[in-house]
Amino acid sequence: MDFHPTEEQAAAAGLAARIFRDLATHERLADVGTGSDAELWKALATSGLIAAVQDIGLLGLVLLLEEQGRTTAQVPYAATCAYGMLPLAAHGSAEQRARLLPALGTGEAVATGVFPARGRIAAEDGRLTGTAPAVPWLREATHVLVPDADRALWLVRTDAPGVRTSPVETTAPWSAGRLTLTGAVAERVGSDSAQQDAYEDTLAAARTAFAGLQAGVCAGSLARAVEYTCTREQFGRPLSTNQGVMLRAADAYMDTEAIRVTAYEAAWRIDQGLAAREHALTAAWWASEAGKRVVHAGQHLHGGTGADLDHPVHRHFLWGRQLDAYLGCGSELLAELGAVLAQEG
């Protein structure tokens, strides 16, 4: 395994870091509210960082999402890449790739997905019926990747007849919504013979991508906590010199690194065409379980300041808890991982 980024991946990550740092400021995020930052989304598209995912692979995407997570920038980057760019590039027809990938790459089209499949969507003669209670970035999306009860993948336009969306507020400001399909016309993604592979590939890549996002959220939370405890003095010395503070921060650092390395491993294996379902589940478990520990620690290490809902660290707390919920609770992920290992054994 080699987790060192290529020159292209490193350059993309550096550019992403500058864009997120310059545009995803605390003041701008407060002004955006629960929606998406249109100017930031345009900057990412103009810089080529959305279209670049086809070239830099999933590991490159994880590096970029880390940078987004550090600033909790409110753009549908993970969803568009994990449920649009990557699955269409891997499983879409030549016509679908030619028609949809350029629009996604320029930010004109925004994708999201209904994952994992919960058996709520039925397909009959190319029409979908069912509901998904909370889909991330649905209010911004032009296309939704939907697995049916048999785990075949379908692409639905949000403005198509039979498609209804309604706002849903989640812990983090992700422009989420409830998706209701009533005989909605959809186009198939992937072949009948490989429908299970297409679903599993997409789910594994999405779990890995959102784990990378969580690594960035945790890193940003910890960085804020370190800065605060090193400058805030109590009884004549910085808070960071207290053993309890140091131990709590050290534990948070180790958890953050565990999220990062498991996400890197899963992404690298997927890019290399190796089996990675259990590795993606492992990354998701660490992102869920360790992620919530880290953002709780980040808030607690700020003391009373961490209780301020307008403080930047609180946004990391909200994102961390939302990613924990979206990836799935730890026991659920462990049960699925155990089933996968038992099947392979």
Side-chain angles (χ1 to χ4, degrees):
M1 292 179 289
D2 183 3
F3 299 157
H4 290 94
T6 64
E7 183 177 345
E8 188 177 22
Q9 289 170 337
L15 177 58
R18 290 196 296 274
I19 292 174
F20 286 128
R21 183 175 58 248
D22 291 344
L23 295 181
T25 63
H26 177 58
E27 293 73 22
R28 283 178 59 87
L29 290 170
D31 290 339
V32 169
T34 62
S36 178
D37 188 331
E39 183 180 346
L40 176 54
W41 187 240
K42 182 178 180 181
L44 290 172
T46 302
S47 65
L49 288 177
I50 305 175
V53 173
Q54 296 180 78
D55 300 319
I56 62 177
L58 183 56
L59 181 55
L61 175 60
V62 166
L63 294 172
L64 301 184
L65 291 175
E66 274 194 83
E67 300 303 334
Q68 179 187 359
R70 290 179 197 276
T71 59
T72 61
Q74 288 177 207
V75 285
Y77 196 24
T80 291
C81 293
Y83 299 128
M85 296 293 295
L86 293 179
L88 285 171
H91 303 287
S93 65
E95 187 277 332
Q96 287 173 328
R97 294 195 299 271
R99 171 167 49 90
L100 296 168
L101 289 180
L104 289 167
T106 60
E108 178 185 354
V110 174
T112 187
V114 182
F115 283 77
R118 303 293 186 186
R120 297 190 181 103
I121 310 296
E124 184 175 357
D125 298 327
R127 293 180 178 271
L128 304 184
T129 299
T131 60
V135 181
W137 300 107
L138 181 62
R139 281 178 266 171
E140 311 290 340
T142 58
H143 296 78
V144 187
L145 190 65
V146 181
D148 64 22
D150 296 322
R151 298 190 173 182
L153 299 185
W154 301 86
L155 196 64
V156 181
R157 288 191 59 93
T158 54
D159 60 358
V163 178
R164 183 165 61 89
T165 64
S166 53
V168 171
E169 296 303 330
T170 59
T171 303
W174 282 8
S175 295
R178 178 183 178 89
L179 178 68
T180 303
L181 304 172
T182 309
V185 176
E187 58 179 300
R188 183 67 181 276
V189 177
S191 63
D192 290 338
S193 60
Q195 69 179 36
Q196 185 70 22
D197 290 341
Y199 170 80
E200 295 294 351
D201 289 350
T202 302
L203 179 57
R207 281 172 164 161
T208 303
F210 280 96
L213 183 61
Q214 182 75 301
V217 170
C218 291
S221 174
L222 183 58
R224 292 187 183 280
V226 169
E227 180 183 10
Y228 177 81
T229 57
C230 286
T231 56
R232 176 79 164 89
E233 292 191 359
Q234 190 175 50
F235 304 116
R237 62 177 185 173
L239 287 173
S240 60
T241 60
N242 293 310
Q243 187 179 44
V245 172
M246 288 190 285
L247 291 174
R248 191 76 187 276
D251 286 342
Y253 173 79
M254 293 303 295
D255 274 338
T256 301
E257 289 302 295
I259 299 169
R260 177 181 288 117
V261 73
T262 52
Y264 283 7
E265 181 181 14
W268 178 84
R269 290 184 66 89
I270 290 171
D271 284 342
Q272 297 299 313
L274 302 173
R277 185 181 175 189
E278 62 268 36
H279 300 83
L281 278 164
T282 301
W285 182 85
W286 274 104
S288 176
E289 287 292 294
K292 63 186 174 188
R293 289 198 297 265
V294 174
V295 295
H296 272 272
Q299 193 169 36
H300 290 168
L301 288 172
H302 278 76
T305 304
D308 182 359
L309 301 184
D310 295 324
H311 194 280
V313 76
H314 187 65
R315 186 176 290 107
H316 288 270
F317 175 77
L318 295 179
W319 274 64
R321 290 313 307 258
Q322 184 60 41
L323 282 162
D324 162 39
Y326 185 64
L327 288 165
C329 67
S331 58
E332 181 183 20
L333 291 167
L334 284 181
E336 185 177 346
L337 177 58
V340 170
L341 294 175
Q343 183 181 11
E344 292 180 352

